[in-house]
Amino acid sequence: MQNNFVEELRWRGMLHDMTPGTEEQLQKELTVGYVGFDPTADSLHIGNLVPVMLLTHFQRCGHKPLVLVGGATGRVGDPSGKTKERQLLDEQTIEKNLKAQQIQLSRFLNFSEGSNKAEIVNNYDWFKELNFLDFIRDVGKHISINYMMAKDSVKNRLETGMSFTEFSYQLIQGYDFFHLLKHKNCKLQMGGSDQWGNITTGTELIRRMGGGNSFALTAPLIKKADGSKFGKSEGGNIWLDPKKTSPYQFYQFWINVSDEDVINFMPIFSLKTRSEIESLIAHHKEAPHLRTLQKALAEEMTIRVHGEHDLEQAIKASNILFGKSGEEELRELNEATLLEVFESVPSYNVNYAALSDGIVELLATHTNILPSKSEARKMLKANAISINKNKVTDGIELTSDNLIHNAYLIVQKGKKNYFLVNVKK
RNA sequence: GGGGGGAUACUCAAGCGGCCAACGAGGACAGACUGUAAAUCUGUUGGUUUUACCUUCGCAGGUUCGAAUCCUGCUCCCCCCA
């Protein structure tokens, strides 16, 4: 093979566990491997990105990745890591989510050419044909309840209770693996370390059903240095869909990754070579305040997910929003540029007459910049509100002099939260 | 079925007739510092017509000048006995 995939994962810090013989198998021949995705939302978020990168590296090492979308399993719900019974999704929602996620995945994997081009499979395609009696007779027969109960995902739920549906999940997932081995010669299943139990049910099932050897490999679940969950920001999830998370916000997420975390994240998400990454890390450690690593990571990710043009916009917006620029620089921008820069910032339309109601009304009534007038007064008192880059106090009067290009107010809450108010005359 | 305990703001958790919009901790937001960091320090954390008023302490009633606090019924949770 071109590259040793396992070795690649090792230095990138993406290897948690694997079954014996996995590395040998991967070195021996072009191997087909898969990762399953849950169609729980109509977009992937960056929490899904680790398994995506697993497949990306897998393909770059010369192997053939399969993306399994859980059209069937999404109808059941994986109990792993869940404390409560999951809400079931209806068919139409799942179909819609699948389509949207497929498009996003194509930015990471090559689906079009080569002997190892990626493929998408949907487990609903084989489960819809399979009836319950056949399943419990042909598949259920091979795995004991004792074996299934020993899994952490089940053990952890014995106290609080779980439905038979969720209990069956590992068998269903296991059968996916068996099916893919039989029809696609897929010998490896990968996933996050929380999937270890489900994956090994698959290899066990395959062994008992006479399918021969199959392999499992998991990546560690990434956590931030402070222990909090990766992939969330104040606003919630960071999505790949630009309608849910604008390219600017996406870029900002990576720029804001902490010094400690970025050292771990870089090798996981970047496709740069080992030596490139190591020299970037060395530079980062010497001069962390320059944030070379964060910038490199943010650029690479934004290009891959959104493209060159969106990256340029994001950088431009970031420079204006966080550079040393003040009101003067804002006013120097022509209207088109101004709108471009603030494109991904929440914006509001307000009538000119509303300005005379005062700043508190503007913040809390005419716009939703702040949830209530009390909140607005508090923020003003705390010196947290800026208009056109200048801090303002409660009594300030707003006139047409404040408007940029005779139409816009740039409002800031704190340092990082920008709002564009479009004032209509 | 019998007995006991509990339900308070985003979370945990005090309060047990007026001084309670409710101690404290965490979280979150903001200010200073800084690198759009981290750590640290400070402030805020129901609403409004903001020195006052209004709505909140599981739900519905009641007692009282006055209740998160007392009484009655209901719902849900935990423990013990059967």
Side-chain angles (χ1 to χ4, degrees):
Chain A
M1 293 313 302
Q2 308 169 228
N3 277 309
N4 183 337
F5 174 63
V6 172
E7 190 48 42
E8 185 79 15
L9 295 188
R10 261 194 209 112
W11 77 258
R12 288 180 186 274
M14 295 177 75
L15 184 65
H16 185 260
D17 209 348
M18 56 182 177
T19 51
T22 305
E23 190 164 8
E24 290 75 6
Q25 165 63 31
L26 291 171
Q27 286 301 93
K28 193 173 73 186
E29 59 185 354
L30 187 159
T31 303
V32 183
Y34 89 98
V35 172
F37 290 87
D38 251 1
T40 42
D42 63 358
S43 168
L44 296 172
H45 54 83
I46 59 177
N48 302 128
L49 238 40
V50 173
V52 172
M53 292 314 296
L54 224 38
L55 287 179
T56 305
H57 292 307
F58 189 67
Q59 184 170 46
R60 288 166 62 91
C61 286
H63 298 290
K64 181 179 174 71
L66 297 183
V67 174
L68 179 137
V69 289
T73 30
R75 286 168 170 79
V76 174
D78 182 0
S80 302
K82 309 282 192 313
T83 48
K84 277 191 283 185
E85 180 85 15
R86 224 168 63 173
Q87 209 61 41
L88 299 185
L89 296 170
D90 67 76
E91 242 168 80
Q92 286 160 335
T93 311
I94 290 172
E95 283 309 313
K96 198 185 89 207
N97 294 350
L98 287 187
K99 292 240 166 64
Q101 293 190 2
Q102 282 179 7
I103 293 167
Q104 295 177 336
L105 285 165
S106 66
R107 301 200 67 113
F108 288 83
L109 298 168
N110 170 12
F111 285 93
S112 51
E113 52 200 31
S115 56
N116 68 332
K117 70 176 182 191
E119 280 182 49
I120 292 189
V121 292
N122 181 347
N123 60 8
Y124 188 59
D125 290 340
W126 53 88
F127 271 108
K128 69 182 172 201
E129 314 270 300
L130 195 60
N131 78 48
F132 182 71
L133 273 181
D134 289 342
F135 184 76
I136 56 173
R137 192 191 140 96
D138 299 337
V139 180
K141 199 73 183 153
H142 298 279
I143 294 286
S144 73
I145 288 283
N146 317 52
Y147 179 82
M148 291 173 75
M149 301 243 292
K151 303 282 177 181
D152 283 346
S153 60
V154 175
K155 261 198 287 190
N156 296 339
R157 288 283 294 280
L158 285 180
E159 291 292 319
T160 48
M162 82 194 294
S163 66
F164 177 71
T165 308
E166 280 191 309
F167 177 66
S168 333
Y169 185 88
Q170 52 173 301
L171 253 200
I172 296 177
Q173 185 171 329
Y175 182 73
D176 280 340
F177 198 176
F178 176 78
H179 180 94
L180 289 175
L181 175 68
K182 216 164 111 190
H183 293 87
K184 298 273 182 190
N185 193 31
C186 174
K187 292 183 180 164
L188 172 69
Q189 182 179 175
M190 296 174 279
S193 58
D194 60 329
Q195 290 298 310
W196 182 255
N198 289 335
I199 298 176
T200 51
T201 298
T203 57
E204 184 67 11
L205 182 68
I206 287 169
R207 196 177 61 76
R208 297 197 193 189
M209 287 177 79
N213 261 338
S214 55
F215 304 91
L217 183 151
T218 54
L221 297 178
I222 52 175
K223 270 212 190 112
K224 295 201 279 184
D226 64 6
S228 62
K229 209 178 165 194
F230 165 75
K232 303 248 180 184
S233 78
E234 302 99 78
N237 266 329
I238 303 291
W239 302 93
L240 301 201
D241 182 347
K243 287 193 219 73
K244 288 171 177 278
T245 300
S246 69
Y248 163 74
Q249 289 167 317
F250 184 84
Y251 176 80
Q252 281 290 320
F253 171 82
W254 296 103
I255 283 288
N256 279 311
V257 168
S258 78
D259 291 354
E260 277 172 279
D261 289 333
V262 75
I263 294 172
N264 299 326
F265 293 178
M266 191 69 188
I268 294 176
F269 296 109
S270 174
L271 295 180
K272 292 186 201 304
T273 63
R274 184 169 187 173
S275 62
E276 278 176 297
I277 291 176
E278 279 169 354
S279 93
L280 278 167
I281 290 178
H283 184 258
H284 167 75
K285 283 181 174 163
E286 255 170 57
H289 61 283
L290 296 179
R291 284 182 297 159
T292 4
L293 251 195
Q294 279 96 335
K295 280 178 188 157
L297 182 57
E299 281 175 23
E300 194 176 341
M301 295 311 290
T302 309
I303 286 185
R304 193 164 329 128
V305 173
H306 298 293
E308 196 99 32
H309 174 75
D310 285 340
L311 170 67
E312 278 165 29
Q313 286 301 315
I315 292 178
K316 199 171 183 181
S318 298
N319 285 339
I320 290 167
L321 266 34
F322 293 105
K324 298 242 156 48
S325 59
E327 176 160 10
E328 240 175 84
E329 283 79 1
L330 272 182
R331 286 187 182 275
E332 275 166 17
L333 296 174
N334 66 43
E335 186 167 355
T337 314
L338 182 87
L339 288 178
E340 262 175 18
V341 166
F342 289 95
E343 190 194 359
S344 57
V345 146
S347 68
Y348 300 93
N349 292 317
V350 163
N351 288 321
Y352 181 73
L355 285 188
S356 57
D357 292 343
I359 180 80
V360 171
E361 294 285 332
L362 179 75
L363 294 173
T365 310
H366 302 305
T367 69
N368 295 323
I369 293 172
L370 292 170
S372 73
K373 291 187 207 171
S374 297
E375 187 73 18
R377 290 199 186 89
K378 272 175 215 155
M379 282 295 155
L380 285 162
K381 205 177 280 178
N383 211 19
I385 303 297
S386 301
I387 292 206
N388 303 335
K389 291 272 185 178
N390 298 316
K391 296 282 185 189
V392 295
T393 50
D394 199 340
I396 189 178
E397 284 186 27
L398 299 168
T399 67
S400 57
D401 291 344
N402 294 302
L403 301 180
I404 295 177
H405 292 299
N406 220 11
Y408 306 102
L409 288 174
I410 306 300
V411 179
Q412 264 169 287
K413 186 195 81 159
K415 268 181 230 164
K416 299 190 188 182
N417 306 298
Y418 280 86
F419 305 88
L420 176 69
V421 178
N422 187 355
V423 182
K424 297 238 155 75
K425 293 219 173 176

